[in-house]
Amino acid sequence: PLEVRRDGLPVPVPSGRGLVFPCTFDADRERVYWDRAVSLDLTRHGTIILDFACDDPGALRSPTLYFKSGNGWYVARIPMRGTGRRRVAFAKTDFSTEEKPTGWHRIERVRLSAWKADGRNARLTLYDLRADDSRIAVVRNTLSSPSEAERRYGTRVSTRVARLLSDAGIPHGVLTDEEVIHGGLMKSRVAILTHHPHPPAREIESLKLFVRRGGKLIVFYGAEPALAELMGVRLGQYQKADAPGRWSSFTFLKPSFWKVPERVYQESSNIMPASPGRRSTHVIAYWEDSHGRRAEEPAWLASDNGLWMTHVLLDDDAANKRDMLTGLLASLDPAVWTYAAQNALERAGQIDSFRNFGDAHRRLSAAAESAPQKGRVLKLLEQADLEYQRMQASYSEGRHEEVVQGGRAVKEALVEAYARAQRGQPGEFRGVWEHNGTGWFPGDWDRTCRVLADHGINAVFPTTRVANLVDL
């Protein structure tokens, strides 16, 4: 059991397989917390697993997990969704810092903490808290670009990819180039190089060793011939879009095989072209322009050693990119489906402020009574309920891929039901922001406006592009 510090609460006692932490509040106690002194080196452990339950999540405000290191702390907020037992996987990038922690190599104390919400008491039950070696490693560009500005950009891209994995419920660690060089991938199954134009020779050697022992790579925006050779691709010459809309999306040739969305939208202004470099390498997705016409340039390639994308992942179309990463990672490590299925079941129904599926179904059913399209809303809720029951059956039978697919169907039905349950007001203002200043179909603003008007949009905020000073 964790030690009790300051607040005088009793030491939690075993209850079944877990430890019960009584969160008892009164006028003088706004916060409860428990500490345990430890001596841990978590440098190579990329994922923190918390397995817990709470009988009344609404009674707790800001439940938090802390790791003390030197004169500071690593801090992660614990998501509370429903009363059932749930398993949360934190990547190190999910932790913020308080004061100045020394590093993950010197963890001296673990703390579990919660603040009072509305005066009710609750019980936290902790089943497991452990650090795992990461099957999936997101590698951050700390050496793979010549300039500090590029490396900072690489950090933003790796954070974006890590966030998408977290949203999908896929445990992962985050490593630097230096950690890869010093053996940080020894226990990983898949390494994701999120923005690594020119990895140093020492890192290439570590990646070769990783691949030789069965590891797989996903490489974004590679420009290093040695890395391209390892991945079985042939590099082309860097290309920049001559006008907006040249590379606006990419489409997979066999989406059902890869278990990914057929089309993913991304407005890329430049790419690092690549083509198959050996017979076992093949193109699995091509770029498209803003009119949906396939471009000559491949977007994704697959080889014996993993996957290659000719640009980085940008932040548009995030939901489809999350689903795409899930399918592609699962093709390299099938265990990904297990984590994604659990996440899909736990998050089913969590749109807007709805806590879970039951909450969403109940509140949308009530909203349907005054909805302009009551019958359609109720039909969508019936469809969502059927899909949710299928999800539960699939999960109990271990058909995890079907659970993930069912979660997407549940969300689609609930989102449409939510939208159709709204009552519009006469003369309502409905606007969209158009980032490129060109419309969705460059050179044809009339077509963009027709599509928007057909869907009830009556205002547009276009942003004009300014020339890149580097090009002047």
Side-chain angles (χ1 to χ4, degrees):
L2 303 184
E3 302 170 11
V4 176
R5 294 288 178 179
R6 285 212 306 268
D7 58 11
L9 291 175
V11 173
V13 295
S15 172
R17 294 180 55 202
L19 294 172
V20 175
F21 293 78
C23 301
T24 306
F25 303 101
D26 54 37
D28 298 323
R29 180 177 292 129
E30 295 287 326
R31 180 194 186 205
V32 292
Y33 72 96
W34 297 264
D35 283 11
R36 181 172 182 177
V38 296
S39 179
L40 299 171
D41 180 354
L42 301 182
T43 304
R44 292 194 179 183
H45 299 276
T47 307
I48 307 298
I49 306 292
L50 177 66
D51 189 351
F52 75 100
C54 180
D55 65 344
D56 188 1
L60 304 182
R61 179 168 57 87
S62 300
T64 308
L65 180 64
Y66 293 84
F67 290 92
K68 187 177 188 298
S69 175
N71 294 322
W73 299 79
Y74 295 104
V75 184
R77 187 74 56 83
I78 302 172
M80 290 286 180
R81 302 188 184 98
T83 57
R85 179 174 174 178
R86 60 191 311 266
R87 185 173 180 270
V88 178
F90 298 98
K92 287 180 181 174
T93 51
D94 294 328
F95 287 81
S96 59
T97 58
E98 290 183 2
E99 302 178 37
K100 295 183 178 180
T102 301
W104 286 98
H105 66 284
R106 187 179 150 190
I107 301 300
E108 304 164 358
R109 187 169 296 279
V110 182
R111 172 173 292 177
L112 185 64
S113 167
W115 290 82
K116 177 170 63 176
D118 59 7
R120 303 197 309 270
N121 296 326
R123 289 158 59 93
L124 271 173
T125 303
L126 181 64
Y127 297 95
D128 192 20
L129 175 60
R130 57 191 168 90
D132 268 7
D133 296 313
S134 300
R135 298 173 68 94
I136 310 295
V138 176
V139 183
R140 188 158 54 86
N141 177 351
T142 51
L143 297 174
S144 298
S145 294
S147 71
E148 179 61 30
E150 272 196 85
R151 291 192 290 273
R152 285 197 300 269
Y153 177 74
T155 296
R156 294 198 299 273
V157 174
S158 63
T159 300
R160 181 182 305 141
V161 171
R163 184 172 62 246
L164 291 171
L165 296 181
S166 295
D167 288 346
I170 301 172
H172 59 280
V174 179
L175 301 177
T176 63
D177 287 334
E178 291 89 345
E179 289 172 323
V180 170
I181 290 171
H182 292 99
L185 293 176
M186 289 301 294
K187 295 184 178 181
S188 298
R189 301 291 183 89
V190 182
I192 306 175
L193 277 61
T194 54
H195 175 258
H196 290 68
H198 297 287
R202 291 180 300 160
E203 187 169 17
I204 296 292
E205 292 305 311
S206 294
L207 294 174
K208 288 180 178 178
L209 179 62
F210 173 66
V211 167
R212 280 200 297 270
R213 67 170 184 79
K216 303 295 183 181
L217 298 175
I218 299 181
V219 180
F220 292 90
Y221 204 57
E224 181 58 47
L227 181 58
E229 182 180 1
L230 174 64
M231 293 297 291
V233 303
R234 181 182 299 110
L235 291 174
Q237 295 295 316
Y238 167 86
Q239 290 187 33
K240 185 173 181 178
D242 49 10
R246 178 171 178 181
W247 302 300
S248 291
S249 62
F250 47 85
T251 301
F252 286 89
L253 302 179
K254 297 180 179 179
S256 59
F257 175 81
W258 295 99
K259 308 298 188 296
V260 296
E262 179 179 359
R263 177 177 287 104
V264 177
Y265 290 94
Q266 173 162 307
E267 187 70 35
S268 291
S269 59
N270 59 82
I271 62 172
M272 184 64 68
S275 57
R278 52 177 176 247
R279 293 181 63 182
S280 59
T281 303
H282 54 283
V283 177
I284 64 172
Y286 280 97
W287 288 102
E288 291 181 333
D289 67 13
S290 57
H291 296 278
R293 295 178 298 226
R294 180 190 291 183
E296 295 181 357
E297 300 86 5
W300 282 93
L301 301 96
S303 74
D304 294 338
N305 293 332
L307 299 160
W308 185 285
M309 185 183 173
T310 54
H311 199 211
V312 299
L313 279 189
L314 303 180
D315 57 6
D316 44 357
D317 201 10
N320 270 335
K321 285 176 179 171
R322 177 200 62 212
D323 295 344
M324 176 191 72
L325 282 176
T326 300
L328 293 179
L329 279 169
S331 74
L332 304 177
D333 181 8
V336 164
W337 286 125
T338 303
Y339 299 111
Q342 183 174 2
N343 180 73
L345 200 58
E346 290 171 352
R347 294 195 177 189
Q350 290 180 4
I351 62 173
D352 192 48
S353 60
F354 306 143
R355 296 189 303 275
N356 50 45
F357 181 82
D359 186 36
H361 196 281
R362 182 174 57 256
R363 291 167 63 182
L364 288 175
S365 295
E369 293 302 317
S370 59
Q373 302 179 40
K374 175 182 176 180
R376 178 60 177 158
V377 174
L378 293 177
K379 187 69 175 178
L380 286 165
L381 291 176
E382 181 182 338
Q383 177 184 339
D385 186 53
L386 180 61
E387 292 290 352
Y388 184 63
Q389 292 180 43
R390 289 173 178 166
M391 285 180 70
Q392 293 175 308
S394 296
Y395 189 80
S396 65
E397 296 169 8
R399 302 196 308 272
H400 294 139
E401 179 189 324
E402 294 179 19
V403 177
V404 177
Q405 294 172 344
R408 297 167 187 167
V410 167
K411 183 174 182 179
E412 183 177 346
L414 288 179
V415 167
E416 184 176 348
Y418 178 83
R420 293 184 181 276
Q422 309 307 311
R423 295 185 63 86
Q425 301 299 317
E428 189 172 64
F429 181 91
R430 301 173 182 173
V432 297
W433 176 37
E434 203 289 309
H435 179 69
N436 292 318
T438 62
W440 287 329
F441 314 101
D444 193 350
W445 259 111
D446 287 344
R447 182 182 176 191
T448 295
C449 292
R450 283 195 301 272
V451 171
L452 292 173
D454 288 345
H455 289 80
I457 304 300
N458 55 32
V460 181
F461 297 92
T463 302
T464 57
R465 284 183 175 270
V466 287
N468 188 329
L469 291 179
V470 175
D471 297 328
L472 294 179

